[in-house]
Amino acid sequence: MFIEQTPRCFRYIMPKAVWRLPKEEKTVFLTFDDGPIPEVTPYVLDLLREKNIKATFFCVGDNVRKYPDIFKQVMTEGHQIGNHTFNHLQGFKNNLDYYADNVERADALINSPFFRPPHGQFSFFHKWKLRKNYAIILWDLVTRDYNRKLSGEEVFSIVQKYVRNGSIIVFHDSLKAEKNLRYALPKTIDFLIKEGYKFEVITEDTIKQKSII
């Protein structure tokens, strides 16, 4: 549970970050990290289009640079976008100013008010450095689709166990996650629909509500 759903005590360390969004109706927020890439992102877009679902994509700037047509498709199909640094940097391994410059380099291509730190590595100092320009979007449920020691069935079971109203759910449109994603994502969507959830994108209006810790 420590990875799949961050304990409340850790969430209090970042109370201004967005972890989970309150909704009167049963609602979830599908998000995808690390794309866009041609091997996986078009599959995700096709599935979302088929199910009439909109999601939020936290994009790596260098992938946007390499695959601008896929990035454009994400936007033209009505999905939200967010910044995931230019080089997928780990915050604890990089100088703070260098990290902030890398975020700004990505922003030149992505142009979004939303930021999600790769690997969740984000200290108070990172938040202080970036808070004027970005809303920090974290998560309520990490599917761990990137973990090659897990099967697609296990990834799907994580969603079934931990999802709740207002969950911000993290999948990855990346090569590392591809096998588990292709198995678990369609099953997750069908499960959530059956359970009565609706899907929304993260917007500036939705995050004006008080995030649930």
Side-chain angles (χ1 to χ4, degrees):
M1 178 175 178
F2 183 83
I3 297 176
E4 293 87 348
Q5 202 162 69
T6 309
R8 186 182 294 266
C9 60
F10 283 86
R11 299 185 185 213
Y12 278 120
I13 297 172
M14 289 289 177
K16 298 294 185 180
V18 179
W19 295 91
R20 180 180 168 211
L21 290 164
K23 285 290 179 177
E24 292 183 7
E25 295 183 78
K26 290 178 72 173
T27 303
V28 292
F29 300 82
L30 279 181
T31 69
F32 298 88
D33 289 3
D34 298 356
I37 61 169
E39 296 87 352
V40 186
T41 308
Y43 164 78
V44 174
L45 292 174
D46 288 346
L47 180 62
L48 295 177
R49 189 186 319 111
E50 175 188 334
K51 300 294 185 178
N52 194 29
I53 291 170
K54 303 302 181 187
T56 303
F57 289 76
F58 288 90
C59 301
V60 172
D62 196 39
N63 286 339
V64 173
R65 178 189 65 81
K66 290 187 287 188
Y67 310 113
D69 290 343
I70 302 175
F71 178 67
K72 182 178 180 181
Q73 185 182 358
V74 171
M75 293 188 294
T76 57
E77 295 197 9
H79 303 290
Q80 183 60 270
I81 54 171
N83 187 326
H84 204 47
T85 75
F86 191 85
N87 297 109
H88 201 261
L89 294 186
Q90 297 185 43
F92 300 157
K93 294 183 178 181
N94 291 275
N95 171 277
L96 182 58
D97 288 334
Y98 177 78
Y99 187 90
D101 288 346
N102 198 267
V103 173
E104 292 304 306
R105 186 180 177 193
D107 183 64
L109 295 172
I110 297 168
N111 189 27
S112 169
F114 306 120
F115 174 74
R116 173 178 285 165
H119 307 283
Q121 291 190 8
F122 200 69
S123 70
F124 169 82
F125 300 102
H126 291 87
K127 182 177 181 296
W128 179 84
K129 186 78 172 179
L130 299 173
R131 64 182 178 176
K132 291 184 179 180
N133 296 324
Y134 304 97
I136 310 303
I137 312 297
L138 296 174
W139 53 77
D140 185 55
L141 194 168
V142 176
T143 64
R144 298 184 69 194
D145 54 347
Y146 55 82
N147 189 334
R148 290 176 176 170
K149 294 182 179 179
L150 298 180
S151 66
E153 292 91 340
E154 289 172 310
V155 170
F156 177 45
S157 71
I158 288 171
V159 177
Q160 291 175 295
K161 183 176 182 179
Y162 292 108
V163 70
R164 54 187 174 174
N165 187 31
S167 283
I168 298 173
I169 304 171
V170 181
F171 281 94
H172 296 78
D173 51 331
S174 67
L175 289 176
K176 192 173 183 179
E178 180 179 10
K179 182 178 179 180
N180 286 338
L181 173 84
R182 286 180 180 267
Y183 178 91
L185 181 59
K187 290 187 177 296
T188 290
I189 290 172
D190 289 342
F191 167 76
L192 293 173
I193 291 172
K194 184 178 179 181
E195 291 294 307
Y197 286 96
K198 69 174 187 176
F199 300 81
E200 289 190 11
V201 299
I202 295 168
T203 68
E204 292 183 90
D205 285 338
T206 60
I207 65 173
K208 287 178 181 177
Q209 305 172 69
K210 183 175 176 58
S211 176
I212 303 174
I213 297 291

